[in-house]
Amino acid sequence: MPLTDIDAARREKMFPRLSPAQMERLAPLGRRLRMERGQIVFEQGAVLPDFFVVLSGTLEIVQLADGKEVPITVHEAGQFTGEANMLTGRRSLVRARMLEPGELLVISSEALRKIVHSDVVVSDVLMRAFILRRLALIAEARGDSILIGSSHSAATLRLREFLTRNGQPHTYFDVDKDPEVQGLLDRFGVRVEDVPVVICRYQKVLKSPSNEEVAECLGMVENLDPAKVHDLIVVGAGPAGLAAAVYGASEGLDVLVLESDSPGGQAAFSSKIENYLGFPTGVSGIDLAGRASSQALKFGAEIAVARTAIRLRCQSPLATVELAGGGSVVGRSLVIATGVQYRKLPLANLSRFEGVGVYYGATPMEAQLCEGDDVLIVGGGNSAGQAAVFLGERARKVRILVRGPGLKETMSRYLIQRIEESRNIKVDARHTVVALEGDGRLERVQIRDEAAGRTEAHAARHLFLMTGASPHTEWLKGCVALDEKGFVKTGPDLGRYDLQGWPLARAPYLLETNIPAVFAVGDVRAGSVKRVASAVGEGSICIQLVHRALAE
Ligand SMILES: Cc1cc2nc3c(=O)[nH]c(=O)nc-3n(C[C@H](O)[C@H](O)[C@H](O)COP(=O)(O)OP(=O)(O)OC[C@H]3O[C@@H](n4cnc5c(N)ncnc54)[C@H](O)[C@@H]3O)c2cc1C
């Protein structure tokens, strides 16, 4: 449905009219600008320094797609420009031009952020309109970029996930399915072997690009000022980092969040989180991340995506974080929220089945999904053993696949004993998973029996990968104290040896590392509970400790 055809009730929320009282509150914050018929107010692709409210006349919003103008809407007196890009600082996806001459109220993006933060009523109207407009652009695929790829290519999937999870509308063409593709490829002089290809802003062709290259081209990357000293830098925008950003920014701190991929972290890979407080019917990870990011932006936090921290300079009192691709940022305090990376099997289509048959944790939620079904578990460590015993109570049969000769070397004796005593758990040594199959969800797993040298198809709707998780802490090595598995040690977990260079009279706070004012929260922290709720909890409570450290 074109944006111009949406129903009246939704249109009213997407393109609301500010009341005279609201207009009066905005008037002193901007300047009046007289515009003539046909004058361009801003161009598609521009990074917008200003927000515009129509005082008189009409302002038409159009989108240039492949050289043609597509109408989006016409703003009348009391209506305003902008969508989520007003808060993220991303390039405009539309062009604005005066249809009838009139006057505009021009408000700087900085003043706009203050209004959104301080005027609850106006903030509600603007935030709702901005989010609904971006959602409509996404739903209509009304971006200014095209992705040409193949559903059989992992790089295509990576780019689709990156654009989707970052809320960047785009049009996708599949070389294997779409008849229009050949024409597009010819028009932009691209060979089919070059896919995935991103045609960025209908101009630049990027062949098999990295996420960073796409982000740069689409203007998703913030220009970070290396001289600015932020109150707080949060590294990682998973549930823990986003919670720290929301609480930090809402309590007046100047917060910069660095995220190497897209907001949401591992949670964004969960199609339905059912154990998070307040969502009785569950919430998708992407939805939760989208809401949390908007909330952080509303309170004034800056979220820089496609920005990877590669090193923490080991110095105090200021924390300097070096970034991939050059440059650095400085903060008076730092929250490490870089989470973990579950070890993944090298299977081309693995991510297609994550959350729809492939799981990394065995909680009561997953156990419920497996009720009465057969379950496959990959791994020979204690986590695999615990999962097998736990899932064995609900599943029909549990089969543990181990690459090595057995469990003796890798699993605790008590778990092996319980597995041996169980009627429905079987261990297959020297067995590996070589392929996953299914339409929409996992249906079959190809398993290789290394000893027999044969591969068999096993009907399976549930595959648990319990091959361990490694924390994203490479960038902290040599500076922040880590445990033997590489997780960040904090508070009471820090030993005398870890605190040899500790310069203060007080002991480290609960979530504080061996470096003053540097905190660690969520999955990356040694001993943390690997759950969304606990990550959010730690991200929020650490802000109180950040305040204390900043006051010292
Ligand atoms: C498929 C799946 C389903 C799950 N389902 C549930 C569930 O239903 N319920 C539940 O409670 N838990 C669930 N979990 C666990 C839950 O998602 C995690 O416990 C939670 O996301 C941890 O949050 P976090 O913020 O600590 O870390 P993460 O979510 O791991 O986020 C860390 C972020 O840091 C970024 N990052 C890493 N290194 C850098 C760097 N150097 N520079 C910049 N950024 C960096 C990453 O890109 C990532 O976005 C699930 C996990 C998975 C994988």
Side-chain angles (χ1 to χ4, degrees):
M1 180 171 50
L3 256 60
T4 40
D5 289 358
I6 45 177
D7 70 66
R10 198 169 159 80
R11 197 175 168 78
E12 180 56 38
K13 289 197 176 83
M14 201 185 285
F15 301 112
R17 208 177 287 269
L18 295 167
S19 70
Q22 291 164 351
M23 295 281 279
E24 244 174 66
R25 292 213 292 282
L26 292 183
L29 305 168
R31 66 188 161 87
R32 296 172 89 98
L33 181 69
R34 176 87 211 158
M35 298 292 283
E36 299 310 323
R37 179 197 305 269
Q39 239 182 308
I40 300 284
V41 178
F42 56 81
E43 264 302 358
Q44 185 165 323
V47 176
L48 295 181
D50 297 318
F51 164 73
F52 300 90
V53 182
V54 180
L55 298 174
S56 62
T58 53
L59 177 63
E60 90 179 313
I61 305 294
V62 296
Q63 190 173 46
L64 274 175
D66 212 6
K68 287 186 214 102
E69 276 193 2
V70 181
I72 300 280
T73 192
V74 174
H75 292 311
E76 296 174 351
Q79 294 184 304
F80 52 87
T81 62
E83 43 94 27
N85 66 333
M86 288 310 312
L87 301 174
T88 58
R90 290 192 199 166
R91 287 177 199 281
S92 171
L93 293 171
V94 294
R95 167 188 280 173
R97 182 176 45 217
M98 287 312 279
L99 195 59
E100 298 298 331
E103 251 193 333
L104 301 177
L105 180 68
V106 188
I107 296 177
S108 72
S109 52
E110 203 180 319
L112 175 71
R113 275 173 196 263
K114 284 192 190 136
I115 299 162
V116 164
H117 190 26
S118 58
D119 189 324
V120 183
V121 180
V122 174
S123 167
D124 269 5
V125 178
L126 299 188
M127 286 296 291
R128 191 170 47 217
F130 288 167
I131 291 168
L132 286 175
R133 289 176 192 179
R134 170 69 47 156
L135 289 178
L137 289 167
I138 294 170
E140 285 288 306
R142 283 186 184 270
D144 53 359
S145 55
I146 298 172
L147 169 62
I148 303 171
S150 156
S151 47
H152 304 299
S153 124
T156 301
L157 197 71
R158 165 180 59 78
L159 288 171
R160 287 193 81 180
E161 280 180 355
F162 178 72
L163 291 169
T164 307
R165 290 211 305 266
N166 273 301
Q168 192 66 25
H170 61 282
T171 313
Y172 174 64
F173 291 99
D174 194 316
V175 278
D176 305 315
K177 293 184 193 143
D178 221 307
E180 283 182 55
V181 170
Q182 195 54 55
L184 258 171
L185 292 175
D186 293 345
R187 192 136 35 100
F188 287 96
V190 185
R191 294 171 314 165
V192 78
E193 306 86 86
D194 293 326
V195 300
V197 166
V198 175
I199 301 168
C200 173
R201 296 157 61 211
Y202 293 103
Q203 291 165 3
K204 200 167 169 187
V205 176
L206 303 174
K207 294 173 189 168
S208 207
S210 65
N211 293 354
E212 288 77 10
E213 284 169 307
V214 172
E216 187 78 52
C217 187
L218 292 176
M220 293 160 68
V221 180
E222 308 249 335
N223 281 328
L224 300 175
D225 180 356
K228 181 171 176 183
V229 179
H230 300 270
D231 291 335
L232 170 63
I233 293 177
V234 179
V235 186
L242 286 172
V246 167
Y247 281 80
S250 70
E251 290 174 19
L253 298 179
D254 158 35
V255 182
L256 169 66
V257 184
L258 302 172
E259 167 55 53
S260 56
D261 189 80
S262 50
Q266 295 164 66
F269 288 95
S270 179
S271 52
K272 209 173 201 190
I273 299 166
E274 301 214 41
N275 57 352
Y276 189 55
L277 189 73
F279 293 90
T281 55
V283 57
S284 82
I286 291 196
D287 202 7
L288 189 65
R291 285 162 189 252
S293 308
S294 301
Q295 208 172 359
L297 291 168
K298 169 185 152 162
F299 286 123
E302 203 179 333
I303 303 179
V305 298
R307 292 289 196 174
T308 303
I310 53 165
R311 195 169 87 92
L312 173 64
R313 273 188 218 153
C314 212
Q315 59 201 26
S316 211
L318 294 181
T320 302
V321 178
E322 294 179 9
L323 303 169
S328 58
V329 287
V330 184
R332 294 170 60 216
S333 63
L334 178 77
V335 169
I336 300 162
T338 42
V340 302
Q341 169 80 60
Y342 281 89
R343 284 199 200 105
K344 301 196 173 188
L345 296 183
L347 301 169
N349 55 358
L350 177 67
S351 55
R352 247 176 65 201
F353 299 112
E354 278 171 336
V356 280
V358 171
Y359 314 101
Y360 295 92
T363 69
M365 195 191 76
E366 283 88 10
Q368 211 177 3
L369 296 173
C370 303
E371 184 89 51
D373 280 353
D374 289 358
V375 164
L376 285 175
I377 297 176
V378 177
N382 278 353
S383 60
Q386 281 164 5
V389 172
F390 174 64
L391 295 169
E393 289 169 17
R394 311 279 289 264
R396 195 170 75 101
K397 269 196 238 153
V398 176
R399 191 173 166 195
I400 304 177
L401 307 176
V402 197
R403 201 174 30 189
L407 301 176
K408 221 170 87 197
E409 301 299 312
T410 48
M411 197 180 284
S412 299
R413 183 65 218 141
Y414 81 98
L415 281 170
I416 297 178
Q417 197 176 341
R418 287 179 65 186
I419 288 168
E420 285 167 354
E421 284 165 4
S422 156
R423 284 176 299 107
N424 62 344
I425 306 177
K426 177 172 174 261
V427 181
D428 282 321
R430 298 204 192 283
H431 277 60
T432 49
V433 170
V434 291
L436 306 178
E437 295 165 1
D439 188 11
R441 65 152 297 124
L442 185 69
E443 285 162 11
R444 273 173 316 284
V445 175
Q446 296 282 347
I447 298 170
R448 174 129 187 104
D449 178 344
E450 301 292 351
R454 60 166 193 261
T455 301
E456 62 172 73
H458 182 99
R461 290 168 54 79
H462 312 287
L463 172 67
F464 288 79
L465 301 181
M466 316 300 288
T467 45
S470 42
H472 286 292
T473 48
E474 278 297 318
W475 64 287
L476 301 169
K477 284 195 174 145
C479 179
V480 173
L482 306 176
D483 73 4
E484 67 287 354
K485 288 185 179 152
F487 288 86
V488 181
K489 287 178 160 184
T490 53
D493 287 345
L494 290 160
R496 213 151 20 121
Y497 176 77
D498 301 316
L499 292 173
Q500 275 172 356
W502 179 257
L504 306 177
R506 66 161 174 86
Y509 294 128
L510 186 66
L511 300 167
E512 199 169 25
T513 68
N514 59 314
I515 313 287
V518 174
F519 298 83
V521 293
D523 280 15
V524 76
R525 197 177 66 76
S528 66
V529 178
K530 309 289 184 272
R531 292 286 181 276
V532 173
S534 48
V536 168
E538 290 187 13
S540 341
I541 60 172
C542 87
I543 293 304
Q544 200 197 353
L545 308 172
V546 165
H547 282 301
R548 275 199 228 163
L550 289 179
E552 281 166 359

